[in-house]
Amino acid sequence: MNVKSLVSRRVAVAAGLVLALGGGVAVAAQASATGPQAISGKATDVVTHRTVAACSQEVLGVSAVKEPADSEDARHLLLTVQNTGGKKCNVYRYPLVRLGAGRTTARVIEESDPNPGVPVTLAPGEEAYAGLLVNGPMDEYEAKSITLGLQGRKAGSSVGKPIDVPMPVETLYANDFQRVTYWTTAPGFALDFIMSK
C-alpha cells in the first residue's frame, strides 16, 4: 500500500469515528431531552402548585358584572377574583356560589374545566374568572345577595368564610337552573359555556 492510499484510509477511519461519536452525542442529547428532563419538568409543576398557598378572602378582590354589560336582564354574570396580595396563590376547581340567603350552591358545568386537576395560580395583580348562569326556564326567586366560597387543595375542602360579592344589579331573578364554570384565566373561555344557555 502506497503512502497516498494509507493517508486516505486513515482520514476515512477518522471521519467515521467523528460521525459515530457525533451520532452518539445527538442520540444522548435527544434521550436527555425526552427522558428524565421532561419528567423533571412535570414534577416541578406539581411541586410548584403544592408549595403555593391557596388564595383566601384576605388577598382577593371580588366582583361580578353582567355579560354583555348593556343587557337588560342579568342572566349571565362574569365573576372575577384578583390577587391583591404580594405572593402567588392558587384558586382551586370552581367557586361555591349561592344566590340569595340560605340557597343551595350553584352546580358546576363539568366540561368547563380548562386543565383538569391543576389549580389556577395567580401572581400578584392577576385575575381568574368564572361564568355564572343565573336562571333558566323555571320558576324564579328574588336574590339580593351573592356569596362566593373558595375551595381548598383537597376536594370537598374550603378556604375561609364565604365572600360577599358586590351585586351587579339590585335584584337577581334566580332558580335551580343556575350553573357556574371552573376558574380560568380567560374570561371568554368561561363565558362560552353559559352565553348559549
Side-chain angles (χ1 to χ4, degrees):
M1 182 179 294
N2 57 37
V3 174
K4 186 176 180 180
S5 298
L6 183 60
V7 171
S8 299
R9 183 177 179 184
R10 288 180 177 175
V11 170
V13 170
L17 287 172
V18 169
L19 288 173
L21 289 173
V25 171
V27 171
Q30 184 178 6
S32 176
T34 58
Q37 190 175 23
I39 295 172
S40 176
K42 292 180 180 179
T44 300
D45 289 342
V46 172
V47 171
T48 298
H49 290 310
R50 288 181 178 176
T51 56
V52 174
C55 296
S56 64
Q57 65 267 41
E58 286 83 4
V59 299
L60 290 181
V62 183
S63 64
V65 295
K66 294 189 299 179
E67 289 293 341
D70 59 355
S71 61
E72 293 184 3
D73 59 7
R75 288 193 66 236
H76 307 102
L77 302 183
L78 182 66
L79 305 176
T80 303
V81 292
Q82 183 184 49
N83 181 2
T84 61
K87 298 180 180 179
K88 290 181 179 180
C89 66
N90 289 335
V91 286
Y92 291 87
R93 291 174 288 280
Y94 53 91
L96 303 174
V97 179
R98 292 190 178 186
L99 301 178
R103 295 290 177 170
T104 58
T105 303
R107 285 185 285 178
V108 69
I109 301 174
E110 290 292 351
E111 60 269 27
S112 67
D113 192 349
N115 198 359
V118 179
V120 174
T121 300
L122 299 178
E126 291 185 339
E127 297 178 336
Y129 309 92
L132 176 65
L133 179 66
V134 174
N135 59 41
M138 303 169 65
D139 292 338
E140 299 170 345
Y141 64 88
E142 292 187 357
K144 300 287 187 179
S145 64
I146 303 173
T147 56
L148 183 155
L150 300 168
Q151 298 194 53
R153 181 176 289 117
K154 294 182 179 180
S157 64
S158 60
V159 178
K161 297 179 180 179
I163 303 169
D164 291 324
V165 182
M167 292 285 285
V169 293
E170 184 177 346
T171 303
L172 290 172
Y173 295 94
N175 57 31
D176 291 340
F177 196 78
Q178 64 191 259
R179 298 288 188 276
V180 70
T181 71
Y182 278 77
W183 291 118
T184 176
T185 55
F189 180 81
L191 290 173
D192 282 345
F193 289 93
I194 64 169
M195 296 304 290
S196 61
K197 299 182 184 298

